[in-house]
Amino acid sequence: MHPLLETLTLDDHEDVVEIFRTDNGPMIRLLLIDVLIVLVLFFFITPLFRAGPWGVGVFLLGLLLCGLLGWRAVIKWMGSICVASTARVIVIERTGFWAKKFREIAYKEIVHTQYTKKGPVNTWRDIGSVQCMVKSTTSLFSIDHVVHPQRLLEIIGTYTTFSSSPQMPISSVSHEPVRPLFSHQNIPIPAEIKKKVPPSVDEYWDRMQS
């Protein structure tokens, strides 16, 4: 179990479906910059130490700052997750060493969802953002830089569909297969609906001529 789940209070009949990580790209870029700065400090270690206490202080201060910034980047990435349960989506964002921000949205409040991927790198790494339109408002609940956004969209679509049916409790659908909310598959049209389809322009013109 993820350590951050211990800080969450789940309702009755609510289970965790899946945990999604956020993009680790910013953390990796900052760690690479830290490594580069440390290499530069060690490259100039001889002139810095010859400069006396000031040079030694600059060297040690640079190492300390690089260590703190790298540690902060790792803590922020490890502490930022998106939790999809059987009743809601919870977003936990780590903004610092100790500060955390919690956001959540219930499936019954979602009326529309979509996801986007920007750039070839994010497309290749399967990282994107999921936007949920909230019922009765024009605001968006955005889940940014999440890994596997399409999978998250499918879970939201499944439980959004189930939550709209009051006869079906949440616990009874926790093992149902996930299906997308918006599908482009061809759905067969029943015969009684086909009869009500309006005629084409050519058919309508033939009727008028006769």
Side-chain angles (χ1 to χ4, degrees), residues 99 119 127 135 166 203:
I127 296 173
K135 184 186 299 183
E203 294 177 354

Side-chain angles (χ1 to χ4, degrees), residues 33-199:
I33 294 175
D34 285 349
V35 171
L36 181 61
I37 295 176
V38 170
L39 291 177
V40 172
L41 289 174
F42 275 98
F43 183 79
F44 292 100
I45 186 173
T46 301
L48 286 175
F49 275 66
R50 286 179 179 176
W54 288 102
V56 176
V58 170
F59 178 79
L60 296 178
L61 182 61
L63 292 181
L64 179 62
L65 290 178
C66 288
L68 289 177
L69 291 177
W71 183 30
R72 182 175 181 269
V74 174
I75 291 296
K76 287 181 62 177
W77 176 74
M78 294 182 61
S80 299
I81 60 174
C82 175
V83 181
S85 72
T86 53
R88 53 185 168 161
V89 175
I90 307 168
V91 179
I92 305 175
E93 299 177 5
R94 192 73 174 261
T95 58
F97 285 107
W98 298 279
K100 288 183 293 185
K101 184 167 62 174
F102 291 83
R103 298 184 297 124
E104 67 175 53
I105 182 172
Y107 294 131
K108 61 183 179 181
E109 299 177 359
I110 300 175
V111 295
H112 177 71
T113 55
Q114 65 179 9
Y115 79 95
T116 56
K117 296 179 182 179
K118 294 183 179 181
V121 177
N122 287 340
T123 302
W124 174 67
R125 298 179 61 204
D126 197 13
I127 296 173
S129 300
V130 177
Q131 291 85 30
C132 305
M133 183 174 291
V134 184
K135 184 186 299 183
S136 303
T137 64
T138 57
S139 60
L140 290 176
F141 185 90
S142 182
I143 308 169
D144 299 322
H145 311 297
V146 66
V147 182
H148 307 312
Q150 187 173 4
R151 169 64 181 171
L152 176 59
L153 192 73
E154 291 175 356
I155 295 176
I156 294 175
T158 297
Y159 291 99
T160 300
T161 304
F162 287 145
S163 62
S164 62
S165 177
Q167 293 83 10
M168 185 178 296
I170 294 176
S171 59
S172 64
V173 301
S174 58
H175 300 289
E176 292 289 334
V178 175
R179 62 175 183 271
L181 180 60
F182 304 104
S183 176
H184 298 285
Q185 298 178 355
N186 296 324
I187 302 175
I189 303 177
E192 59 272 12
I193 297 180
K194 287 184 177 181
K195 296 178 180 178
K196 299 180 181 180
V197 175

